[in-house]
Amino acid sequence: MSPRSFVLSFCALSLITLLAYAFSFSSILGAPLAAEYWLRGTSLVKLKLARDVESPKVLFVGGSSTLFSIDTAQLSMATGKSAINMGLHAGLPLKYHFDFAKKALRHGDTVVVVPEYGYYRRDLANTEWFINQVLAWDGEYYRNASAKEKAKFIIDTPGMKIVDAVLSDIFSKRIREKFTYRYPVTEDEALKVFQAGWNNVRAKNAPERRVFQYYFNNINDHGDINNTVGSDSPKTSGYGLIEGFAFNGDALSEIANFKEYCDSIGVKMVMGFAPIMNDGVVKNNITAITKNMDGIKSKMTSMGIIFIDSPGDVFFDQKYFFDTDSHLNIDGKKLRSHDLERKI
Amino acid sequence: MLFNSYTFIFLFLPICLIAYYAVFRFGPRAQVSVLAIASLVFYCGWDLRYLPLLLGSVLLNFVAGRAIAQCNKKSRMAKLILIFAISINLLILGYYKYADFFIQNINAAFGADFNVLHIILPLGISFFTFTQTAFLVDTYSGKSDEPNLIQYLAFVTYFPHLIAGPILHHHETIPQFQRGAAIKACWMAPGIAMFAIGLFKKVVIADTFGAIARTIFNSYASGAQTLTGADAWLGALAYTFQLYFDFSAYCDMAVGASLMFGIYIPLNFNSPYKAVSIIDFWRRWHMTLSRYLRDYLYIALGGNRRGNYRRYQNLIITMLIGGLWHGAGWTFIIWGGLHGLYLIINHLWRAISGGNRETAVGRWAGRLLTFLCVVVAWVFFRSESVSSAVSMLSAMASAPQSLSPAVAKTVLEIMVPQALIDAGFQVSASYVAAATILIGLLIVWACRNAQELVFKKSPWDFPLEQAPEPEDWTARKMLLPLSSAAFLVGLAALIAAPPGEFLYFNF
């Protein structure tokens, strides 16, 4: 082979292989990888609940901090406004939460965005954790993405993850015999599980911790996770608020875009703080943390967003946290929700 | 900016190539200017803070070289300038690289309490210092090519070699800058192929071995007591392969990138684990450092001209300095000393065995023994401290045991896709580890190296300044799918983790 043919063939072969790879990428979606399958059912149930509620309603949007820390059932009763907890998982990108909320938002609604603190600093890169979730149970996310987002997703997907997904696909029968839950549930299946799980305890939390699980049979009909009784005495991490706090431009753009969307359809968007455990490093660095939280509030306010919380509203003792320093337990969320009642 | 980064591959390199060949019609001076600017941009991509140091060093040595060249050959004045300039170079290197080591040892030896300076090592300082001192010595000996400032700047900072070698020799490089290069497929094709092979070696092979080695060496550094002899062997062998594939990958990528500019840089690697003796090993491993140490240190010390005793003394001194060059630490000095000792034993053995003809069995025995000696020395080279190296070597000398649970878990996590575990396949970590090491051995002992794969006749058989264009392109059909696959798999593997630094960047 002449050097000239080599150079041309190398470029052509590389390009063809890359294109073939990109076009065949969707074939590995739905592989039974180890992932958080409960999020799939949880999101389907929440979306159904939110769509079924008549507007004007209040939607709470955020990661698992929102899922655990707001009692929308209590809020609904106290305020007379239907509220739904749309909180999912902080590993999902901010845009994912916004797109999720958009599916249920209607004119006259209010959306309360309560991002975990890491979201303000996060760029648009698809994390390995998120890629894993999409490959395992959210093929729709990839299929509905724009060409640019798809290209970015493919570029961000590690080679080893592809190998894992392909092998999981090949051995899917064996894997699903062992892990029966590793498949993307349909809405009907999710609702069936949800309803069966809550026939007897729909309106109140069970008094015992043992019934808690990360599953969509463990959410009430407002989307709150339930049975978060007691505390594992988790340690606080500092939430990335101890050192200097630098916003990520991409995160700010996402928030601004969502605000613009809400304005365009007549939805009121407000923001709040996620709960903070007043213990350990937080206690020792309270001044720096409060200063950074003030910075977040000022920044959001400067973007024309109403910020409903002050830093002092979201500091809670360790005993109010369930299994992590972002998840309030049943007592903690009662306190938090009581505070929110007068703000909504 | 790393060779194994998207920025380098898809932005920096293509822009440099376009600019380099676009100015071809303006002559070699314009092309070399492009190389110099590109190299400075490349260096700034690492750390802007040390750009003044690099430029100051280049300017100092260029002026000193000019001044030496103006004097009569080997005159007293020329010698004074040479000593002054080399002293400055060594002082700068000593300050940045060895000051903290010196202070720590003074503190330890005399119970003093001098503050450690925590100096950050400027990237490539060892390489550009050696490159320039060789230039000064050759200028003093009347062997300089008398480059102009731009040529000299490009020679020292030429980005394919700047950070981790090879150590360029002005006599090989500057004449190539002076002749310029038009874009030709006969340069681009082997350049692309070598770069692709290097990328694969780095991100797929070296980084995989590195992940295993890191876990085990870190455990020793933390004083873990639960590691077995098998863990220690696995760690030592994994590092042996990591360093080999990492450094040879860097060299392949450097040579490949340079070929795309129509410039040969010297080979630094020639299948060193195929060496049948330690002497042979040093002719194949970091060849340009060996050449430098031989020409500018060993021979300057007297070489073998004053009998065997002085020869062995010079060998030990040269290798100790070679060890110290790699890093300011006792582990590096011991590594150098061990290799010095190996070389002495090898020379003694040669003297005793005379000119016996080598048999295939003898060659393999030599290869195995050399490999083992090299592995043992690498344990010091990689360890955080002498004590952790000694405890690792003690474990290696202990009775055979299986892998400890922690290391077995790491091996499975790194080497076996989770899907296979989930599917219920029973995978033995010991077998996986053994297979991984066997694959490493198979590649280093039985496979052709990159330059053998790419070239039918090696251009490096010629003096580089006179080497013909690489027309003797390989006719192997497998090279196209091999290098394309290597490139694509390398790119895909790059996604898994941010591009890892090459090990030799630390030296």
Side-chain angles (χ1 to χ4, degrees), chain A residues 33-291:
Chain A
L33 294 160
E36 310 276 348
Y37 287 86
W38 65 276
L39 280 171
R40 160 90 182 176
T42 303
S43 60
L44 289 171
V45 170
K46 287 186 176 214
L47 195 57
K48 170 79 174 147
L49 293 174
R51 278 175 168 165
D52 285 354
V53 170
E54 279 185 19
S55 294
K57 61 183 178 288
V58 182
L59 296 188
F60 283 86
V61 172
S64 62
S65 169
T66 302
L67 172 66
F68 275 76
S69 307
I70 297 165
D71 190 338
T72 47
Q74 180 192 324
L75 263 170
S76 299
M77 281 193 282
T79 61
K81 292 178 189 170
S82 299
I84 300 291
N85 187 331
M86 302 292 275
L88 291 172
H89 193 292
L92 299 165
L94 198 50
K95 186 171 182 294
Y96 189 98
H97 294 296
F98 291 151
D99 288 344
F100 180 53
K102 280 178 187 176
K103 291 177 188 168
L105 282 173
R106 305 284 178 268
H107 179 81
D109 291 347
T110 300
V111 59
V112 186
V113 181
V114 191
E116 278 79 355
Y117 298 95
Y119 275 121
Y120 294 104
R121 307 157 70 131
R122 191 161 147 182
D123 60 20
L124 297 181
N126 295 298
T127 63
E128 194 173 339
W129 181 90
F130 176 60
I131 288 166
N132 200 48
Q133 309 311 314
V134 173
L135 294 181
W137 55 261
D138 200 3
E140 285 98 332
Y141 171 85
Y142 177 80
R143 289 189 196 97
N144 296 334
S146 66
K148 191 179 162 192
E149 285 169 338
K150 274 184 183 156
K152 181 156 171 44
F153 193 85
I154 293 172
I155 288 169
D156 286 345
T157 305
M160 259 324 265
K161 186 53 68 188
I162 300 288
V163 173
D164 223 7
V166 170
L167 287 172
S168 295
D169 235 8
I170 293 170
F171 298 113
S172 57
K173 201 170 161 223
R174 289 179 71 139
I175 293 173
R176 286 191 176 121
E177 274 169 16
K178 225 170 128 187
F179 305 98
T180 50
Y181 60 88
R182 284 197 191 177
Y183 71 98
V185 289
T186 62
E187 187 183 290
D188 285 346
E189 286 169 327
L191 289 171
K192 222 165 142 183
V193 171
F194 165 69
Q195 280 153 3
W198 286 98
N199 274 343
N200 300 319
V201 283
R202 173 62 50 84
K204 59 178 182 179
N205 284 292
E208 289 178 60
R209 166 71 182 275
R210 63 186 161 80
V211 294
F212 171 82
Q213 60 178 336
Y214 282 92
Y215 208 56
F216 42 97
N217 65 355
N218 190 30
I219 50 179
N220 66 17
D221 53 8
H222 288 264
D224 310 316
I225 200 154
N226 269 348
N227 301 305
T228 54
V229 181
S231 175
D232 291 347
S233 305
K235 295 278 171 275
T236 183
S237 60
Y239 306 90
L241 290 168
I242 295 171
E243 303 85 22
F245 194 87
F247 289 97
N248 182 280
D250 293 331
L252 294 179
S253 299
E254 289 298 341
I255 293 169
N257 290 342
F258 186 60
K259 165 84 169 76
E260 200 179 314
Y261 171 82
C262 290
D263 290 345
S264 71
I265 60 160
V267 167
K268 182 181 175 190
M269 176 194 170
V270 300
M271 287 185 78
F273 285 128
I276 286 186
M277 188 194 290
N278 193 12
D279 194 44
V281 289
V282 170
K283 225 171 199 167
N284 299 334
N285 294 279
I286 198 87
T287 315
I289 289 174
T290 309
K291 191 181 156 203

Side-chain angles (χ1 to χ4, degrees), chain B residues 120-192:
Chain B
I120 298 167
L121 186 70
L123 271 164
I125 189 168
S126 309
F127 289 94
F128 66 71
T129 304
F130 270 28
T131 304
Q132 296 188 100
T133 49
F135 169 76
L136 291 175
V137 171
D138 285 348
T139 308
Y140 174 72
S141 308
K143 296 184 214 158
S144 159
D145 304 275
E146 298 202 13
N148 62 37
L149 181 58
I150 297 294
Q151 286 167 347
Y152 183 75
L153 178 66
F155 154 64
V156 177
T157 62
Y158 186 40
F159 71 83
H161 94 111
L162 176 61
I163 308 293
I167 299 169
L168 295 188
H169 196 276
H170 57 95
H171 198 55
E172 294 169 335
T173 317
I174 288 171
Q176 296 191 69
F177 287 158
Q178 288 167 340
R179 73 175 179 226
I183 186 163
K184 282 185 182 170
C186 68
W187 287 102
M188 295 303 287
I192 290 171

